[in-house]
């Protein structure tokens, strides 16, 4: 069952992030130490296969049932997850209000802006690499990457 959840999560989350997100399109994964992470939309081609950007939850010291989100976005291999679910209410409250406010905050906003900038930069680099090689195998590789990036 976990393998199916991993594939569904990858299919849903390998996309470019936007300022306007639907809270129902997000997942929480637990790493091998049982730490929860919010998985973020990750543009295809940014990270090695089967990895997504994520942000970890931090337990509040005075209440082990209350969490806040870290401000550090880190890569996470979906294959390292021990559990994945989309029941966000425990972490984000009724109607996922805390997640909605996270989307409007500085951390997520900076992530969206950075992603859009990186897509443009990677497109330019890939085009340059394609022009600088005469090897047909390498050109095909650059073409495939360019196709992924242009769909972002």
């Amino acid at each position: 069952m976990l393998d199916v959840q991993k594939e569904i999560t990858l299919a849903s989350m390998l996309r470019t992030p936007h300022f306007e997100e639907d809270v129902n399109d997000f997942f929480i994964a637990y790493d091998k130490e049982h730490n929860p992470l919010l998985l973020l939309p990750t543009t295809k081609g940014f990270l090695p296969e089967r990895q997504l950007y994520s942000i970890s939850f931090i337990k509040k010291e005075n209440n082990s049932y209350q969490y806040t989100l870290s401000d550090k976005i880190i890569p996470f291999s979906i294959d390292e997850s021990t559990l994945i679910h989309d029941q966000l209410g425990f972490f984000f409250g009724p109607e996922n209000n805390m997640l909605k406010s996270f989307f409007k905050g500085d951390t997520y906003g900076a992530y969206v802006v950075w992603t859009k900038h990186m897509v443009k930069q990677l497109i330019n680099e890939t085009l340059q690499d394609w022009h600088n090689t005469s090897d047909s195998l390498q050109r095909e590789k650059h073409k495939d990457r360019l196709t992924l990036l242009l769909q972002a």
Side-chain angles (χ1 to χ4, degrees), residues 87-116:
Q87 303 301 311
L88 308 176
F90 177 76
F91 292 98
F92 295 112
E95 298 179 20
N96 299 312
N97 290 328
M98 289 174 54
L99 183 56
K100 291 175 186 173
S101 66
F102 170 70
F103 293 146
K104 295 175 184 164
D106 293 342
T107 301
Y108 193 74
Y111 175 66
V112 172
V113 169
W114 174 80
T115 299
K116 290 181 186 306

Side-chain angles (χ1 to χ4, degrees), residues 6-56:
K6 289 176 183 180
E7 296 308 316
I8 291 170
T9 303
L10 282 172
S12 299
M13 300 309 290
L14 283 173
R15 58 185 171 83
T16 301
H18 299 283
F19 288 108
E20 299 296 323
E21 294 282 1
D22 183 342
V23 295
N24 297 312
D25 292 340
F26 284 77
F27 296 88
I28 293 173
Y30 288 80
D31 65 14
K32 289 184 178 181
E33 288 81 39
H34 306 289
N35 298 311
L37 301 135
L38 176 66
L39 301 178
L40 300 176
T42 304
T43 302
K44 290 180 186 180
F46 269 31
L47 293 173
E49 276 195 44
R50 304 186 63 74
Q51 286 191 18
L52 298 168
Y53 282 113
S54 66
I55 190 163
S56 62

Side-chain angles (χ1 to χ4, degrees), residues 7 69 71 73 111 114 124 127:
E7 296 308 316
L69 284 171
D71 60 356
I73 295 173
Y111 175 66
W114 174 80
N124 289 335
L127 278 171

Side-chain angles (χ1 to χ4, degrees), residues 2 4 25 50 59 64 79 92-94 102 108 114 129 140 147:
L2 182 59
V4 172
D25 292 340
R50 304 186 63 74
K59 271 187 193 177
S64 62
D79 294 322
F92 295 112
F102 170 70
Y108 193 74
W114 174 80
D129 291 344
E140 190 64 30
T147 302

